[in-house]
Amino acid sequence: MMELHASKRRKLEYVSLEQSDHLLSGEPLSANSPTHEHAVHRQKTPASTNNGPILSKKPLSAQDRQAKSPSGSSVFQLQIQELLAKVRLSHGSRREKVEAALRKLKRVIELIPNREPTSVLRAEQDLRESHNIRIPFPEAKPDLEVKYLLTYAKPQNINIVGSYARKTALRIHGQLVIDLAVTMPSHVFQDKDYLNYRYFYKRAFYLACIAAGIQESQDCTYNVTFANQNGNHLQPILIIDPFLGGGEDDFSKSKCQIRIILAASGCLFPTAKTLPHKNCVRSKVLDIQKAEMVAVATPLYNATIRSECSSLSYLELLQKTSMYFDSFRDACVLGSIWLQQRGFGTDLADGGIGQFEWACVTAILLRGGGLNGNPVLSRGYNYYQLFKATLQYLAVTDLILNPLIIYSDYVHFDAHKCPLFFDGKRGLNVLFKMTAWSYNTLRHEAKMTIETLDKSLGDKFNPSFITRINELLYRFDYIFSVPINSTWKPSSAALDSTDRTMRFCQELFDVLITGLGDRVKLIHLQVTKDSSWPMTALNRSVNKHRVVVVGMLLNAEQCGRTVDHGPQAEDRNTAAAFRTFWGEKAELRRFKDGSIRESLLWSAENSNHNILDRIIAHVLRHHMGQETAEGINFVGNAFQHLLPGSTTSNPLAVYQPLMRAFETLEKEIRCLEGLPLQIRQISATSPELRYASYDAPNLDSHGQPASVYVQFEGSTRWPDDMMAVQKTKIAFLFKIGELLEESTSGLVARLGLENEQRGLLNQAFIDIIYPTGATFRLRIHHERELSILKRSLRDKWNDLGKGAEIAFAISTYKRDFVQKPLHTQTVRTLSTRFPLLSPSIRMMKKWRDSHLLSLHISDELVEILTIRTFVQPDPWQAPESVMTGFLRTLAFISKWDWQSEPLIVDFAQAFSIEDVEGISLRFNAWRKIDPGMNQMVVFAASNLDTDGISWTEQGPSKMVAAHFTNLARAACKLTKQQALKVEPSTLFEMSTTEYDFVIYLNPKIVSKNLGHHRQRALFKNLQIPSSWNSSLGFDHIRLYLEEISRLYSKNILFFYGMNGGTCIGGLWNPETGLRDWKVKMTYSTLLTLPPGDANPKTVINKSATLHDIARLGGDMVSRIEKRR
């Protein structure tokens, strides 16, 4: 979550070194600073044919703007206003020292003496000998024999620029960056210096001279280093950090960093020479005229020059926009927050769009960009509307396919891979630092946010402005890293100024886009930022072991495809290109429709690597070298392998045999003849029949039978007494079993009893065993039971115990016979809609069981929490991988304040505002009735269960719910620490240190209870049929837990993890500690005399109690470890 700083709200004004009395004195910017406005073509021309919609034309009146809420929601409006107030910087005492440092730096720079023109070789030697400073030339070093000379002269002017000057600055990672722009005089350059890095060589020397002047100044004691401005190696800058120690120059308490950047006059070079389609890096083997004809364009090089020449012009543009449009500053702050929370920034490594680019795009769209040169954005928008309209423009307008060219009619562009937002007045593509992958990610995030803001229900504020979206493990479905090895060589020479890292990323992106096709929806590349380096360093600070991290959003329907169909054999050119790209993997095949096509077959060669792994490894090996392919590190694949029987291609495949057996059972029951009543409905209620059980169903093992309910049509012949109803059910079940055995060869039906001690609950079932091994437990649902129970509850002769028993029977009936069938049907439907929902639920249940919470957190609650991640995924899209679904669910649990917020999950997106208000009203009523949360702790409502207590009425308790949240927080913290080195198994490691005692179970009993594969006899005539197994559905450990919970639940809280848990944790009730003795205490006690107390106290006899627990367990308990 972003760091917020409270400050007083005040009027925002433009601040520069020349215009602020409390900063620096100097010449006014508007009077003596030439701007780029005088050197560019001023004719307004219509934008390109498709530049996005004109979002509004009619401005709102002042009264309308004041009366109308920014978002239509008063709560949302107040949240935004509070956010703006907190992030707005205060200019108090903490800023005094940094502003004093700015004034001092300005004085020092102005006193630096001029230098005579000198050669490149001589300039390097002088600075190295006199100040031990290495000139920070670009990667393409200058030829030492060039004829042009390097010189230094007094700056034309010095300004504070950027967001700090506009009062829209935000802290990035806790630090505030202040830019001090030094404008170089025009006479130190020549007319042709825009060619072949000459401008950048002279610029680097100019910066080194400033560094030398600051170094030799007796008035400055700062830590000065070189760095790349926005990650561009063409633009070295100076980083000014304070020397710690509390001296005069120590501005560390302000948490600021000063950057000295360079700028140039707007009329230094003609705009026409640095347009994006021009080539300014000429080949040495060709003359200039021939090079202009054949050389490729150098858009990044050109835009870097133009950005320095137009920096003051953009400063003036943003200043005037802030003056004319009251909402502009706050809209820019919202945009900056939105970008920062999604990991975007001005740096090339951060996507190339930050506060400055957002402000420029908004300012330009307020003046034009629409049809016939009209503004895209309405001048009547308030700050929220202006932010949202800008965001919508970025979402709906594809600036790669349909570039925006504004205020220019002489620019033409060839095919390009990056977005183009061309400002003709200043001759600059504002988004020149953006790549294809960062732009695609920007548009995706913009679309997701617009969808969130357009929703009438749900939280819009946190997903849009508070949640950190840039956490890779939560953001992307599929992640891997690739090292930039030393042996890699670009496939083609590049004359543009992109460095080796960017060329590697571009080639990697092109290969992945072609190779993966429609298997992925989005591919994003991320590299680490360049760090600063000492002025004495021979080379720039370049990480030789740099790694590119690739994050992808998957298309679950296509990513598991095993056969790719290429072009037909008759299309020779396309087929040849296909074979060239895929190499030996491409093969010619004839398909069933008679067509002969180039194709790719991705067979399951290795179960530990899915299809995407193999495709990526192949294309990188084929196009980028064996060493690159060997260095691939796939992140998060181990999550899928933690699930038993899972497959990446079809996660639901392991359930299909049991689902087919259930369909067979349903058909056979409906076809039975001889039943006194017709079948109305057959409902599945077992997790196995909704794709939600942790263990994959195995028809060869003695697992738990799948639960099924049968409901007959209504009849007045049903009795009105609960005991008689149960007897009638037994008769019906017996008849169903007989008829099934008669109609199906090999089928065995066995009648069983349950809840014998509770006559108000269901009493009977039949186990149906198919020859295939599929087993089902069939119960009868009779709808009149609820009315009978309610009538009994109203009986005035009921005592307190009887009433509680009836109330328990009613809640059990609603949960088992009403809610479970609906829940099962819904989860089964959603699992087919979201293919990764089923394995994500299974992973969450594994996590719950690993931490011994099975007795307290129900299966259904885990499923609802996981479903929420898929049906309410804001601010992301629905997960398409097990890793993402699992980690996002944990993240929600870690942040969910269940004490004051109900869990509301809309399975079908059908909730209205009234529905949500009604659920919230019930939740608030529960909290008023039970403020101590002794009866109901977690409130989990859905459109199937608006009461919100069906799956939480029996738990968790307040202590367990807090423990559940703390475990999720610990897991999220561990995931953040491990980052791309995450080890999934560490998230499932159980700790028993918090328990007072631990009961260790016999591993053989646990293994037997899980129902491992039965041993087959050597001869078939000696094999025992599974139907003879008298312990079908018999769970030894569950019965043991039920028994000790029934006996000791008031004194001990037990913890256990189903599905293979080998220990039971226990916590003593604090009330069993020292207390006065009284009659009828419910546990074995010991007398003890506390120190300093004359009266003896009683305490629970822990040793005797644990001995009794061990005796009840018999051979199931191997040992008990008492800790407290």
Side-chain angles (χ1 to χ4, degrees):
M1 186 176 292
M2 61 178 294
E3 181 182 359
L4 301 178
H5 300 269
S7 64
K8 291 180 63 179
R9 187 168 185 138
R10 61 179 69 186
K11 183 179 179 182
L12 301 178
E13 297 176 350
Y14 168 72
V15 175
S16 72
L17 290 176
E18 287 73 15
Q19 294 174 311
S20 176
D21 293 337
H22 67 280
L23 289 180
L24 307 175
S25 60
E27 298 177 347
L29 174 65
S30 58
N32 297 313
S33 297
T35 66
H36 192 60
E37 296 281 354
H38 302 115
V40 297
H41 191 62
R42 287 181 171 274
Q43 180 181 357
K44 291 187 178 181
T45 58
S48 58
T49 57
N50 186 9
N51 292 318
I54 298 178
L55 302 179
S56 179
K57 288 296 180 184
K58 183 179 179 181
L60 298 176
S61 65
Q63 292 180 346
D64 290 339
R65 292 198 306 268
Q66 185 177 3
K68 188 172 181 179
S69 132
S71 65
S73 168
S74 58
V75 175
F76 185 56
Q77 177 187 9
L78 293 174
Q79 288 174 320
I80 292 180
Q81 291 174 352
E82 182 181 5
L83 175 65
L84 291 173
K86 286 185 176 181
V87 301
R88 193 170 289 115
L89 293 174
S90 62
H91 288 259
S93 58
R94 289 191 173 185
R95 302 280 96 79
E96 290 179 358
K97 282 201 171 184
V98 71
E99 290 172 357
L102 291 169
R103 290 193 294 268
K104 183 180 292 187
L105 286 169
K106 180 178 184 293
R107 289 195 301 269
V108 169
I109 295 173
E110 288 177 338
L111 294 176
I112 296 175
N114 295 345
R115 290 177 180 262
E116 295 296 329
T118 182
S119 65
V120 172
L121 179 61
R122 186 62 185 169
E124 283 191 297
Q125 291 175 348
D126 288 345
L127 283 174
R128 186 169 59 252
E129 293 173 358
S130 61
H131 297 86
N132 194 21
I133 292 178
R134 305 278 183 169
I135 301 177
F137 288 124
E139 287 188 1
K141 303 298 181 183
D143 190 341
L144 299 180
E145 298 179 357
V146 294
K147 296 181 179 180
Y148 56 82
L149 303 177
L150 308 181
T151 185
Y152 177 84
K154 183 179 179 180
Q156 183 172 320
N157 54 55
I158 302 174
N159 290 307
I160 292 179
V161 297
S163 57
Y164 185 81
R166 301 193 309 273
K167 299 283 188 69
T168 60
L170 300 177
R171 291 190 182 275
I172 300 177
H173 306 302
Q175 189 176 55
L176 176 65
V177 176
I178 304 176
D179 289 338
L180 187 64
V182 178
T183 304
M184 299 174 290
S186 300
H187 61 82
V188 303
F189 299 100
Q190 297 175 326
D191 293 341
K192 296 291 185 180
D193 278 351
Y194 64 89
L195 294 173
N196 297 333
Y197 296 96
R198 286 168 52 176
Y199 168 82
F200 296 107
Y201 297 149
K202 294 184 177 183
R203 178 194 185 282
F205 175 73
Y206 196 94
L207 185 73
C209 291
I210 294 177
I214 296 175
Q215 185 185 83
E216 70 181 11
S217 173
Q218 300 296 326
D219 197 29
C220 290
T221 55
Y222 300 118
N223 183 19
V224 184
T225 55
F226 287 130
N228 289 329
Q229 182 179 351
N230 303 325
N232 190 340
H233 71 102
L234 298 176
Q235 294 177 286
I237 59 175
L238 291 179
I239 301 295
I240 310 296
D241 289 314
F243 269 121
L244 304 180
E248 180 184 355
D249 295 332
D250 184 5
F251 55 88
S252 58
K253 291 185 178 180
S254 63
K255 298 181 180 180
C256 295
Q257 183 185 76
I258 299 174
R259 301 194 311 173
I260 297 179
I261 64 177
L262 299 183
S265 172
C267 56
L268 179 60
F269 301 121
T271 304
K273 297 296 185 180
T274 57
L275 293 175
H277 66 280
K278 294 289 185 176
N279 172 269
C280 292
V281 182
R282 306 292 170 79
S283 173
K284 295 182 180 180
V285 298
L286 300 174
D287 57 54
I288 293 179
Q289 291 78 14
K290 192 172 182 180
E292 287 182 343
M293 296 174 59
V294 301
V296 296
T298 54
L300 181 61
Y301 177 98
N302 303 352
T304 304
I305 293 179
R306 185 51 53 195
S307 67
E308 298 210 339
C309 294
S310 59
S311 59
L312 298 182
S313 178
Y314 277 110
L315 180 65
E316 184 178 7
L317 168 69
L318 299 180
Q319 175 192 2
K320 290 181 178 179
T321 306
S322 299
M323 294 172 58
Y324 296 152
F325 304 98
D326 295 338
S327 59
F328 177 71
R329 276 200 183 98
D330 284 345
C332 289
V333 172
L334 283 181
S336 300
I337 295 171
W338 183 86
L339 289 170
Q340 181 176 316
Q341 296 303 90
R342 283 148 184 81
F344 290 107
T346 305
D347 197 284
L348 286 168
D350 291 334
I353 180 170
Q355 300 175 357
F356 173 75
E357 289 78 13
W358 180 282
C360 290
V361 167
T362 305
I364 292 172
L365 293 179
L366 280 167
R367 288 168 166 78
L371 297 177
N372 300 320
N374 293 315
V376 171
L377 306 177
S378 170
R379 300 183 178 186
Y381 284 159
N382 59 40
Y383 61 88
Y384 170 74
Q385 294 167 334
L386 188 58
F387 159 76
K388 185 178 179 182
T390 305
L391 196 66
Q392 186 173 0
Y393 179 85
L394 294 174
V396 303
T397 308
D398 190 341
L399 295 174
I400 295 179
L401 297 178
N402 301 292
L404 174 68
I405 306 171
I406 185 172
Y407 302 126
S408 178
D409 57 357
Y410 58 88
V411 179
H412 66 87
F413 299 96
D414 299 326
H416 56 282
K417 299 179 180 180
C418 299
L420 187 61
F421 189 95
F422 188 76
D423 177 11
K425 275 190 176 182
R426 297 157 191 87
L428 179 67
N429 174 20
V430 177
L431 304 180
F432 75 95
K433 294 191 294 295
M434 295 201 75
T435 57
W437 56 89
S438 66
Y439 180 65
N440 291 337
T441 305
L442 175 72
R443 292 192 66 206
H444 170 78
E445 297 292 352
K447 291 176 183 177
M448 298 301 299
T449 304
I450 289 297
E451 291 178 4
T452 300
L453 295 175
D454 287 342
K455 292 179 179 178
S456 58
L457 294 175
D459 181 16
K460 297 186 288 186
F461 176 72
N462 286 294
S464 301
F465 301 109
I466 301 301
T467 306
R468 292 299 299 267
I469 314 299
N470 61 331
E471 297 288 346
L472 289 176
L473 295 177
Y474 302 102
R475 188 177 196 175
F476 298 109
D477 301 316
Y478 189 91
I479 303 171
F480 67 95
S481 60
V482 183
I484 306 177
N485 59 77
S486 58
T487 62
W488 173 81
K489 295 182 180 180
S491 58
S492 60
L495 294 179
D496 204 358
S497 60
T498 53
D499 58 12
R500 175 181 172 83
T501 299
M502 293 306 296
R503 290 198 293 272
F504 181 89
C505 290
Q506 185 63 59
E507 186 169 337
L508 175 63
F509 179 77
D510 293 340
V511 168
L512 291 176
I513 281 288
T514 305
L516 297 176
D518 62 351
R519 298 176 189 270
V520 296
K521 300 177 181 177
L522 180 72
I523 298 177
H524 180 79
L525 275 59
Q526 183 171 310
V527 295
T528 54
K529 290 184 180 180
D530 293 328
S531 58
S532 60
W533 67 94
M535 296 185 296
T536 59
L538 179 61
N539 297 315
R540 292 168 180 258
S541 177
V542 178
N543 186 356
K544 296 181 179 180
H545 304 286
R546 214 164 189 180
V547 173
V548 179
V549 179
V550 182
M552 299 189 298
L553 297 180
L554 302 181
N555 181 356
E557 296 180 357
Q558 300 295 334
C559 65
R561 188 176 62 240
T562 57
V563 179
D564 285 332
H565 295 229
Q568 293 189 0
E570 293 82 1
D571 190 352
R572 295 186 178 181
N573 293 334
T574 307
F578 186 88
R579 289 192 296 273
T580 300
F581 181 85
W582 290 104
E584 72 282 357
K585 192 66 178 179
E587 55 185 23
L588 205 60
R589 285 175 170 264
R590 183 188 296 274
F591 293 92
K592 292 181 179 180
D593 59 358
S595 62
I596 302 176
R597 293 177 174 270
E598 295 287 346
S599 61
L600 306 166
L601 178 62
W602 306 101
S603 58
E605 301 168 0
N606 188 341
S607 59
N608 293 325
H609 293 83
N610 60 30
I611 292 175
L612 284 181
D613 295 353
R614 295 196 290 274
I615 295 176
I616 292 169
H618 173 77
V619 296
L620 263 60
R621 184 183 302 107
H622 185 63
H623 292 277
M624 306 188 74
Q626 179 68 27
E627 187 174 348
T628 300
E630 291 176 352
I632 300 175
N633 176 36
F634 295 102
V635 179
N637 279 359
F639 281 98
Q640 183 78 30
H641 304 316
L642 291 175
L643 298 176
S646 63
T647 60
T648 56
S649 58
N650 183 9
L652 305 183
V654 294
Y655 293 92
Q656 294 308 317
L658 184 63
M659 298 300 291
R660 288 193 292 268
F662 172 69
E663 293 174 359
T664 302
L665 173 66
E666 185 176 9
K667 293 178 182 178
E668 290 177 349
I669 292 178
R670 291 188 180 278
C671 294
L672 292 179
E673 297 182 358
L675 291 176
L677 295 175
Q678 293 294 321
I679 301 293
R680 176 190 293 178
Q681 187 174 1
I682 301 176
S683 304
T685 61
S686 178
E688 292 86 354
L689 295 177
R690 56 178 182 259
Y691 309 111
S693 61
Y694 167 68
D695 281 321
N698 190 340
L699 303 188
D700 291 332
S701 65
H702 297 300
Q704 289 291 323
S707 179
V708 178
Y709 292 161
V710 173
Q711 184 178 5
F712 292 96
E713 64 180 6
S715 173
T716 58
R717 299 175 62 184
W718 279 92
D720 289 334
D721 179 74
M722 281 298 298
M723 298 301 295
V725 168
Q726 300 302 329
K727 300 299 183 182
T728 307
K729 283 186 178 182
I730 294 175
F732 270 105
L733 291 172
F734 189 78
K735 185 65 174 177
I736 291 174
E738 283 186 341
L739 294 176
L740 283 174
E741 288 181 335
E742 293 174 0
S743 61
T744 305
S745 175
L747 182 144
V748 176
R750 311 183 71 175
L751 182 66
L753 298 178
E754 61 183 353
N755 301 318
E756 294 97 332
Q757 305 301 322
R758 293 185 172 183
L760 298 180
L761 302 182
N762 186 74
Q763 297 284 301
F765 58 85
I766 56 169
D767 285 337
I768 302 171
I769 304 103
Y770 278 91
T772 59
T775 59
F776 300 93
R777 179 159 289 180
L778 189 69
R779 296 178 176 89
I780 293 179
H781 170 210
H782 177 45
E783 70 277 6
R784 289 182 59 187
E785 289 183 63
L786 182 60
S787 60
I788 296 173
L789 290 171
K790 288 182 177 180
R791 186 173 66 247
S792 301
L793 187 63
R794 292 192 296 267
D795 191 344
K796 62 181 181 179
W797 301 110
N798 289 333
D799 56 20
L800 186 61
K802 183 66 173 179
E805 183 182 357
I806 297 174
F808 177 77
I810 291 175
S811 65
T812 303
Y813 173 89
K814 290 181 178 179
R815 180 178 64 252
D816 293 345
F817 292 107
V818 179
Q819 291 297 331
K820 274 191 177 180
L822 293 175
H823 180 81
T824 299
Q825 179 61 40
T826 301
V827 174
R828 186 163 55 187
T829 302
L830 290 173
S831 296
T832 56
R833 175 184 169 191
F834 301 107
L836 276 302
L837 173 60
S838 172
S840 298
I841 289 175
R842 297 174 64 192
M843 191 67 68
M844 277 301 303
K845 289 184 177 180
K846 176 181 176 61
W847 182 80
R848 174 203 62 182
D849 296 343
S850 299
H851 296 288
L852 308 185
L853 294 175
S854 301
L855 301 179
H856 306 280
I857 308 296
S858 65
D859 283 349
E860 291 78 9
L861 179 58
V862 173
E863 292 162 14
I864 292 175
L865 287 167
T866 312
I867 289 172
R868 184 204 169 276
T869 303
F870 285 80
V871 299
Q872 297 168 205
D874 298 333
W876 301 284
Q877 70 170 23
E880 298 286 0
S881 72
V882 179
M883 176 189 70
T884 313
F886 171 65
L887 293 181
R888 287 186 193 172
T889 305
L890 284 182
F892 170 75
I893 296 171
S894 68
K895 298 175 182 178
W896 175 33
D897 183 9
W898 43 265
Q899 299 185 59
S900 59
E901 296 177 7
L903 174 64
I904 304 176
V905 181
D906 187 3
F907 294 147
Q909 307 297 311
F911 269 149
S912 64
I913 297 178
E914 292 75 15
D915 295 331
V916 175
E917 290 176 349
I919 292 173
S920 300
L921 186 63
R922 294 186 190 92
F923 171 77
N924 294 329
W926 267 108
R927 287 294 182 256
K928 290 181 180 179
I929 295 172
D930 182 25
M933 290 180 283
N934 297 316
Q935 299 179 23
M936 192 280 298
V937 176
V938 174
F939 189 93
S942 66
N943 50 348
L944 302 179
D945 175 28
T946 56
D947 292 336
I949 61 173
S950 294
W951 315 118
T952 59
E953 191 174 15
Q954 304 300 319
S957 64
K958 186 164 56 175
M959 187 273 289
V960 174
H963 182 55
F964 186 53
T965 302
N966 291 333
L967 285 172
R969 289 174 181 168
C972 293
K973 181 180 179 180
L974 181 62
T975 301
K976 187 174 182 179
Q977 291 174 348
Q978 294 180 343
L980 299 182
K981 297 181 181 179
V982 60
E983 289 292 338
S985 59
T986 60
L987 302 178
F988 300 89
E989 292 178 356
M990 176 190 62
S991 172
T992 60
T993 57
E994 64 269 21
Y995 299 115
D996 295 333
F997 63 88
V998 179
I999 305 171
Y1000 291 93
L1001 303 175
N1002 188 337
K1004 294 181 179 180
I1005 301 294
V1006 175
S1007 177
K1008 182 179 179 181
N1009 192 68
L1010 288 174
H1012 287 178
H1013 296 286
R1014 61 177 180 266
Q1015 185 176 1
R1016 296 184 179 274
L1018 181 61
F1019 301 101
K1020 190 172 183 179
N1021 60 338
L1022 298 179
Q1023 184 172 333
I1024 300 176
S1026 62
S1027 60
W1028 293 6
N1029 179 21
S1030 60
S1031 62
L1032 180 65
F1034 184 76
D1035 192 335
H1036 312 75
I1037 299 175
R1038 182 181 291 276
L1039 292 176
Y1040 174 59
L1041 285 167
E1042 290 177 357
E1043 180 68 12
I1044 60 177
S1045 296
R1046 183 181 63 83
L1047 295 173
Y1048 301 104
S1049 60
K1050 293 182 179 181
N1051 308 320
I1052 302 174
L1053 191 63
F1054 293 100
F1055 296 84
Y1056 180 67
M1058 299 297 181
N1059 302 309
T1062 58
C1063 65
I1064 300 173
L1067 292 175
W1068 301 106
N1069 190 331
E1071 295 183 358
T1072 62
L1074 289 175
R1075 59 183 301 178
D1076 294 332
W1077 182 88
K1078 64 178 182 179
V1079 181
K1080 295 184 179 179
M1081 298 188 76
T1082 59
Y1083 50 86
S1084 175
T1085 60
L1086 287 175
L1087 284 176
T1088 182
L1089 187 63
D1093 193 343
N1095 298 321
K1097 302 288 185 180
T1098 61
V1099 67
I1100 190 171
N1101 190 343
K1102 296 180 180 179
S1103 298
T1105 303
L1106 294 179
H1107 177 75
D1108 291 342
I1109 291 174
R1111 186 166 55 86
L1112 287 171
D1115 293 339
M1116 282 191 295
V1117 177
S1118 61
R1119 64 187 175 93
I1120 296 181
E1121 180 181 320
K1122 186 177 73 170
R1123 297 176 177 174
R1124 288 181 286 273

